[in-house]
Amino acid sequence: MPVATLRNGKRFEVDASVSVLSAALGQGIALEYSCRTGRCGVCKAKVMSGDTIAIQHEECLTADDAETGYILTCCRSAQSDVTLDIEDLGRLAGQRPHTVPARIAEIENLTSTVVRVTLRFPPRATIQFLPGQYIDVMAGGVRRSYSIANAPRADRTITLDIRKFEGGILSRYWFGEAAVGDLVRAELPLGTFFLRDSSAETIVFLATGTGIAPVRAIIEEITANPAMVGDAQLLIYWGNRHAEDFYWEPPVEATATFHPVLSRPTDTWTGRTGYIQDALLSDGVSLETAVVYACGSQSMIDAAGILLQRHGLSRHHYHFDAFVSSAPVK
């Protein structure tokens, strides 16, 4: 059976019937991933040696990526022993996603198009996750992914910021049918968006829309344990189309500099305008000594990655979770 070797020497077997990502996760080795359907690009890795074969379409992989040896580990299996220019994620060691029941404890309207849903879990259910990760919620016969908007709490609740999409099956449920006490199912923990160990001088968070949810969770974690980031400067850039879409700002004790940025300003808006990646560049932040965490639309993730790496950000210091259109099942 082919063996995959990572940059840090970790090795695992890859059965031809499963993806490299699935093989790693099945053997307790955590690799970068999010959508698991080839659409977000989080699991992109460079093949240094060996041959792989596509077992599902690598939708977001560009021709240039493919020509230079990149693959999506969620979409390819190994045909021979392979060496990948990636490392495993130590903080995720031992995580095993599982499905548990949950009841809706609270529904709060944040804006006309965003609700905050609080889920409460049974006392004996295992609720472990890292701030920044997401869950899959199953209700009304469909499954959808939502970033967790809080750090782990003693009351075992999870909050979700949910945006309304016209025609969306679960949007119809959340915005018209859901009630406190409803029972849903949730699979967790999922995803690899979380705070990494780093000696960065600056930690930057970029978010669009409800992409602020995992950033809120990470900021909550840092606020409770500032030693995690040492003396690093914290910067938050949150982009929205309309002023009424800003429903959160970091607490004073978070010691983070907050930059709300509007892409479609009105005459009454006196704050920053444009795109968040451009706002970051205009502030003269030294990207060579920075780590960037980005969450939100695929277009922002792609544009910010290209622009910021062109201006000195290391590819290995750009961590992201792209919101992609819903698939039937992850």
Side-chain angles (χ1 to χ4, degrees):
M1 188 179 298
V3 173
T5 302
L6 307 181
R7 187 172 63 234
N8 59 354
K10 289 284 184 68
R11 295 160 60 89
F12 58 94
E13 294 182 335
V14 184
D15 186 284
S17 65
V18 301
S19 69
V20 172
L21 174 64
S22 294
L25 295 177
Q27 294 167 65
I29 296 177
L31 302 182
E32 299 267 14
Y33 78 91
S34 183
C35 78
R36 295 176 287 174
T37 59
R39 295 174 298 150
C40 71
V42 170
C43 70
K44 185 167 71 174
K46 189 169 187 178
V47 178
M48 306 305 293
S49 65
D51 298 312
T52 64
I53 184 171
I55 58 177
Q56 66 174 326
H57 180 51
E58 297 170 292
E59 184 174 329
C60 72
L61 198 70
T62 67
D64 287 342
D65 285 336
E67 288 179 5
T68 52
Y70 285 95
I71 65 168
L72 300 182
T73 63
C74 76
C75 295
R76 284 191 167 261
S77 189
Q79 284 188 302
S80 67
D81 290 352
V82 295
T83 301
L84 304 174
D85 188 26
I86 54 175
E87 296 186 358
D88 63 311
L89 305 174
R91 279 193 82 188
L92 299 185
Q95 277 197 356
R96 298 291 184 185
H98 59 288
T99 300
V100 293
R103 288 199 181 275
I104 297 176
E106 185 178 1
I107 303 174
E108 176 188 0
N109 291 312
L110 299 179
T111 72
S112 61
T113 58
V114 177
V115 295
R116 177 170 298 159
V117 174
T118 301
L119 300 179
R120 190 178 303 278
F121 296 85
R124 294 187 179 182
T126 301
I127 308 301
Q128 295 178 337
F129 63 91
L130 294 180
Q133 291 188 285
Y134 70 87
I135 70 172
D136 274 5
V137 174
M138 288 148 275
V142 296
R143 172 193 294 248
R144 294 293 182 263
S145 302
Y146 301 104
S147 294
I148 301 171
N150 61 278
R153 295 173 177 170
D155 67 1
R156 301 164 54 78
T157 59
I158 280 179
T159 60
L160 311 173
D161 293 355
I162 299 174
R163 180 172 296 281
K164 183 177 184 179
F165 289 96
E166 292 302 325
I169 296 174
L170 270 193
S171 285
R172 184 169 64 244
Y173 173 72
W174 295 124
F175 287 83
E177 303 169 3
V180 171
D182 281 3
L183 183 66
V184 299
R185 291 187 301 143
E187 183 182 6
L188 77 160
L190 298 169
T192 57
F193 191 69
F194 63 91
L195 189 68
R196 314 298 173 89
D197 294 332
S198 172
S199 57
E201 294 181 5
T202 306
I203 298 176
V204 180
F205 298 97
L206 302 179
T208 54
T210 53
I212 198 65
V215 174
R216 286 174 47 212
I218 295 173
I219 290 296
E220 188 176 313
E221 178 184 39
I222 293 172
T223 303
N225 185 13
M228 294 183 68
V229 297
D231 296 326
Q233 179 186 26
L234 303 180
L235 303 174
I236 302 171
Y237 293 80
W238 185 17
N240 278 301
R241 293 180 176 180
H242 311 290
E244 56 269 26
D245 293 330
F246 292 109
Y247 56 81
W248 174 84
E249 62 181 50
V252 174
E253 62 269 25
T255 66
T257 304
F258 181 51
H259 301 278
V261 183
L262 210 59
S263 62
R264 298 182 181 180
T266 61
D267 293 339
T268 58
W269 177 257
T270 59
R272 305 185 70 169
T273 61
Y275 296 109
I276 51 178
Q277 62 269 24
D278 295 326
L280 171 60
L281 280 185
S282 70
D283 287 343
V285 176
S286 175
L287 295 176
E288 290 84 356
T289 56
V291 174
V292 175
Y293 297 85
C295 187
S297 66
Q298 185 76 62
S299 59
M300 181 276 286
I301 297 294
D302 292 343
I306 293 171
L307 181 65
L308 300 182
Q309 289 174 55
R310 188 183 299 154
H311 285 80
L313 180 69
S314 167
R315 176 174 64 88
H316 298 296
H317 290 164
Y318 185 55
H319 309 294
F320 59 90
D321 193 6
F323 289 174
V324 296
S325 58
S326 298
V329 177
K330 280 212 174 194

